[in-house]
Amino acid sequence: MLLEASHLNIAYGDAPAVWDVSLDVDEGEIVSVIGPNGAGKTTLINALAGLLRPRGGALGIAGTDLMSVASHDFCRHGIALVPESRRLFAAMSVEENLDIGGYRSAARRHRNESLEQVYALFPALRERRRQIAGLLSGGQQQMVAIGRALMARPRLLLLDEPSLGLAPAVVNDVFAAIGRIHRGGVAILLVEQNVPKALEIANRAYVLEQGRIVASGAPEPLLARAEIREAYLGFAN
Amino acid sequence: MPSVTLLGQAVIAGVLIGGLYGLLAAGLSLSWGLLKYINVSYFALAFLSAYLTYQFGTFNGIAPWWSAVILVPAFFLLGVLQHWTFMRLRVTELTSLVVTFGLAVLIESLIQWIWTADFRKYESGFSGLTSKIGPFFVPTLDFLALVSATILAIATWSWLRWTYVGKALRAAAMDPEMASAFGIDHRRLSFLLSGICSAYAAVAGIFIALIATLAPSEIGTWIGVAFAVVIIGGVGNPLGALLAGILIGFAESVTMAVTQPAWAPLVSFTILIVLLLWKPRWT
Ligand SMILES: Nc1ncnc2c1ncn2[C@@H]1O[C@H](COP(=O)(O)OP(=O)(O)OP(=O)(O)O)[C@@H](O)[C@H]1O
Ligand SMILES: [Mg+2]
């Protein structure tokens, strides 16, 4: 197992947001987490990226215990995050954003190779590499956010709602890119509100509601359940 | 109207003093922009460095360049220590102004206690040196201050712009959490930067000792100009601070030449207010 999280409890101050969540991602998998607004999806994925520290439970990657690893060392263990609403370094250029992604020393050695991979995946970024990231369109900013994470040369890519606020055609591009990244050998954990897309691309999925996992499994059996179709696709039959 | 020669001389004097303004403002600009500390203790530290240069030169026979060799690394360490203390005390951007102002007052009292409130002038033997360019006199020490300020500003700017550490510092100032997600240890880098800010104060102080007359009460008079320089130059931009320093030095000096010296202190604030109202893109 690549990523293993068991019985995670995560809270903001005294307010618990995620309880007793166990989840894993194997090499070569795409795993989706779906759930309604406020379910705790961002909380969970940020904890997996080291941004938030769980109160309890266990978290590990490829046999390494992450609970005692410093936040800024998570990326050394092959975890990279594409955060909700992108969080680019808005005043910096596209290529500077990508360089921050490739900051860790092991990634720096492959800088040019990684840049070529990112520009091959998103040709629009090559021509805009000197532009200020904050002035790009939403879709291009999402490409920078994904590219930045790829520059870290992750084994596990965490994506938090990459389709948020994007036009349908751009959403298709983003999902096509996720597919290509996955075929390149990177495991993916995807949080999405776009449930049809998230389940179409996934090998497995978890349903998170009010901070707890309420269902999990392969997409087809999940979709075979009427209550899940009703809650997430808007129809029961 | 003064003569053309006199005006030209005023322009030269103003531009040269701008180098010193730039040096003095660099620490505040960098720490405000990249560490989120509005640290006004650097002005007092600059005067501490000036007094030490004076002390070493006058009583210990140590030449100013040897003082630089001692003071720059010593102040770098002082800056690191200061930052460590601020982090232990959980100083924030809001409280930093108060805390560092208190520290500045403390350093000023220390200076007054050691060297008294009397005016002190470091007779380095270089004060009178000038070169003559056409009809104009260029004081050597002021020129050296401008050259040093320019070299340091370009070096710092390039470091922030082109190196991994520089990019990491800028990124962490915008979003420390995301920066840390990509392996940036902001704590470690901030020690380095606070050392650099304090080292800038040491350099500024050495030139203040060489050029100006020292008195503890002088610290306050430089703070206003330095704030204007930092804001006009763009917070966190060392090259901007130098250019703004030169602009203010130039404007003050020309104002003094065509009106009365009493108007000079108003110049920096007038420029500041005009720029704040006009809001050009770089501020
Ligand atoms: N910084 C915060 N401080 C306090 N509470 C928070 C914070 N961020 C989120 N929460 C709370 O934690 C719960 C889970 O929020 P979270 O953002 O993880 O949900 P989500 O599933 O990502 O929702 P969305 O689909 O809207 O992105 C919510 O009740 C939210 O109000
Ligand atoms: Mg969310």
Side-chain angles (χ1 to χ4, degrees):
Chain A
M1 219 26 94
L2 184 61
L3 179 84
E4 278 179 288
S6 45
H7 309 295
L8 287 184
N9 290 314
I10 313 162
Y12 295 99
D14 290 332
V18 166
W19 291 276
D20 196 29
V21 163
S22 298
L23 163 156
D24 42 46
V25 182
D26 210 347
E27 307 265 8
E29 270 194 312
I30 298 189
V31 173
S32 290
V33 175
I34 60 172
N37 283 327
K41 304 183 297 297
T42 297
T43 305
L44 175 64
I45 207 167
N46 283 352
L48 300 179
L51 263 54
L52 285 170
R53 306 316 299 253
R55 289 290 166 81
L59 180 61
I61 186 159
T64 306
D65 177 16
L66 287 170
M67 293 298 276
S68 52
V69 164
S71 296
H72 62 260
D73 281 334
F74 269 56
C75 75
R76 276 195 11 213
H77 293 281
I79 297 173
L81 173 69
V82 179
E84 187 172 64
S85 69
R86 305 182 268 275
R87 290 175 71 172
L88 297 183
F89 303 108
M92 294 169 80
S93 73
V94 168
E95 202 156 288
E96 284 178 329
N97 271 274
L98 297 179
D99 273 336
I100 294 298
Y103 179 82
R104 73 185 183 105
S105 50
R108 282 186 212 182
R109 289 197 281 279
H110 302 281
R111 176 183 186 260
N112 293 336
E113 191 189 327
S114 305
L115 267 182
E116 278 312 310
Q117 284 167 4
V118 170
Y119 290 148
L121 191 62
F122 303 118
L125 295 187
R126 190 192 296 273
E127 3 179 309
R128 292 177 175 79
R129 63 182 186 274
R130 307 230 174 281
Q131 289 185 20
I132 297 301
L135 302 177
L136 299 178
S137 73
Q140 289 160 355
Q141 289 195 17
Q142 192 62 60
M143 293 174 196
V144 178
I146 296 173
R148 179 177 64 177
L150 289 179
M151 291 296 290
R153 303 184 74 83
R155 305 161 73 181
L156 173 68
L157 184 65
L158 306 171
L159 291 139
D160 193 349
E161 303 207 34
S163 72
L164 191 72
L166 303 184
V170 184
V171 171
N172 286 336
D173 290 347
V174 167
F175 273 88
I178 295 170
R180 286 179 62 185
I181 294 164
H182 174 239
R183 284 192 293 280
V186 181
I188 287 170
L189 181 78
L190 173 69
V191 159
E192 257 301 337
Q193 298 261 10
N194 187 333
V195 173
K197 283 263 173 215
L199 293 184
E200 185 191 315
I201 200 171
N203 304 110
R204 287 188 302 119
Y206 292 87
V207 181
L208 188 69
E209 284 178 6
Q210 296 181 4
R212 296 172 192 276
I213 302 276
V214 295
S216 66
E220 298 79 26
L222 278 178
L223 282 174
R225 291 160 64 168
E227 78 275 15
I228 288 179
R229 280 205 307 279
E230 189 162 27
Y232 296 103
L233 301 178
F235 59 90
N237 306 297
Chain B
M1 259 322 254
S3 74
V4 176
T5 318
L6 216 61
L7 208 59
Q9 196 62 56
V11 169
I12 289 172
V15 168
L16 292 182
I17 200 73
L20 203 49
Y21 289 168
L23 280 177
L24 200 64
L28 174 62
S29 182
L30 291 172
S31 80
W32 193 349
L34 298 169
L35 297 175
K36 305 294 172 196
Y37 280 158
I38 307 174
N39 190 331
V40 295
S41 76
Y42 295 133
F43 307 119
L45 284 174
F47 269 75
L48 184 62
S49 159
Y51 271 96
L52 287 170
T53 306
Y54 157 80
Q55 178 78 24
F56 292 163
T58 309
F59 302 102
N60 305 91
I62 297 172
W65 49 88
W66 287 118
S67 293
V69 172
I70 300 165
L71 290 174
V72 171
F75 273 63
F76 181 93
L77 292 179
L78 209 58
V80 173
L81 185 71
Q82 187 191 57
H83 192 65
W84 181 81
T85 314
F86 286 178
M87 298 220 305
R88 288 300 298 263
L89 299 177
R90 301 189 187 287
V91 175
T92 63
E93 182 169 8
L94 279 173
T95 55
S96 64
L97 186 57
V98 180
V99 171
T100 59
F101 183 76
L103 195 58
V105 171
L106 209 72
I107 296 169
E108 186 180 333
S109 309
L110 181 77
I111 289 173
Q112 187 152 338
W113 182 64
I114 299 176
W115 288 284
T116 76
D118 295 345
F119 281 96
R120 305 275 176 157
K121 181 79 190 87
Y122 175 27
E123 301 299 345
S124 61
F126 308 114
S127 325
L129 288 184
T130 54
S131 328
K132 197 155 193 280
I133 297 174
F136 304 116
F137 290 98
V138 178
T140 307
L141 286 173
D142 298 57
F143 180 70
L144 219 59
L146 180 63
V147 170
S148 307
T150 308
I151 292 171
L152 287 176
I154 291 174
T156 311
W157 185 85
S158 310
W159 176 66
L160 287 175
R161 179 135 183 81
W162 305 115
T163 67
Y164 270 105
V165 171
K167 287 175 206 174
L169 276 165
R170 285 187 287 137
M174 284 178 234
D175 188 339
E177 224 180 34
M178 275 321 294
S180 108
F182 293 108
I184 293 167
D185 184 354
H186 187 220
R187 273 174 58 98
R188 251 177 54 193
L189 296 185
S190 62
F191 282 124
L192 176 65
L193 191 71
S194 52
I196 289 173
C197 291
S198 177
Y200 254 111
V203 176
I206 292 162
F207 281 111
I208 290 173
L210 288 168
I211 292 166
T213 305
L214 303 178
S217 57
E218 291 285 292
I219 298 171
T221 63
W222 295 78
I223 290 185
V225 177
F227 257 98
V229 167
V230 167
I231 292 166
I232 294 167
V235 172
N237 181 350
L239 210 52
L242 176 65
L243 295 176
I246 291 173
L247 173 74
I248 288 184
F250 163 83
E252 276 184 352
S253 190
V254 170
T255 307
M256 276 197 268
V258 299
T259 65
Q260 286 152 10
W263 291 107
L266 289 178
V267 171
S268 49
F269 289 101
T270 310
I271 296 176
L272 182 59
I273 288 164
V274 168
L275 283 178
L276 286 178
L277 292 175
W278 168 41
K279 282 197 200 305
R281 215 167 48 87
W282 79 88
T283 57

